[in-house]
Amino acid sequence: EPFDDYRLLVLFCNLGMLAAALAFRGPLGARLALGALLVCNPIAVRSAWFGQNDAPSLLLLVLAFALASRRRFGWAAAVLGAAVLLKQFALVAAPFLALMIVRESGALGGAPAAAAGALTRRAALDALRGPTLAFLGVLAAGILPFFVVDPVAFYEDTVKYGAGTYRIVGYGLSAILLEAGIVEDREGAYPFALLALLTWVPLTVWLLLVQRRSPELWVGAAAFAVSILWLMFIGRTFNNYYLVWPMTGAVAAALMAVASQRAPDRPEPG
């Protein structure tokens, strides 16, 4: 005591967001301001006080975007894998980070990300091979020891617990349907999987298409913010502190955007 208090780790990770913001390229003043927004916003401060476990994963998520923007693709994927281990919400960033890697890998032989359209399917797979192995390797290192020791306990403590424990609460679609009488019981079944399949999956695919067509790297982080906001809104539980996830994605997008404004000799689209 008091160093066994998990809130200390949350606090230090929250403070570490400033260092993660400084890991991006761009004007120092802009990075400091956006880093301060990550550290000092009321949701993050309140979460640190009450011990919400989002900050460690969010810190690694921001760092993963920073590493991707610096073309450290293997490290970016490994760090994202660690973020997923700490909070599964970070998994939503995986397809957007993967597309960033594919696009930026098109610059290996010449022009920056604008050459992504010329990548063949094989070249894209080659670009993703190393980062994918790093991502899966980190996940395996964190998951397999527990799964091997007791697969049933692993399933019950993760998948089953997360899917069946929480009652309908918060400010999202589930509470709206409950108040409207469409969902009868706060403790009962909620068609999250169907809603995600019909709305979130098409939205995410469209956002990936928008990201693919854009010459700007920051669009991927912004698309992640929109995707995870909708996923949380249609979820069974939508707590107010969940908003820190899309907000963090938006700030990461802003950090990439201010860097791209200073990038020299960026080719014009077309």
Side-chain angles (χ1 to χ4, degrees), residues 130-145:
T132 300
L133 291 175
F135 177 76
L136 295 178
V138 171
L139 288 181
I143 292 173
L144 286 180

Side-chain angles (χ1 to χ4, degrees), residues 25 63-64 66-79 101 131:
R25 291 189 173 94
L63 186 57
L67 289 167
S69 71
R70 289 183 173 272
R71 301 174 55 79
R72 302 293 190 268
F73 301 138
W75 282 106
V79 169
I101 292 172

Side-chain angles (χ1 to χ4, degrees), residues 6 10 47 51-58 86-87 241 245:
Y6 185 76
V10 175
S47 295
Q52 304 295 348
N53 64 344
D54 299 87
S57 182
L58 287 168
L86 290 168
K87 190 87 171 185
Y241 63 86
W245 282 86

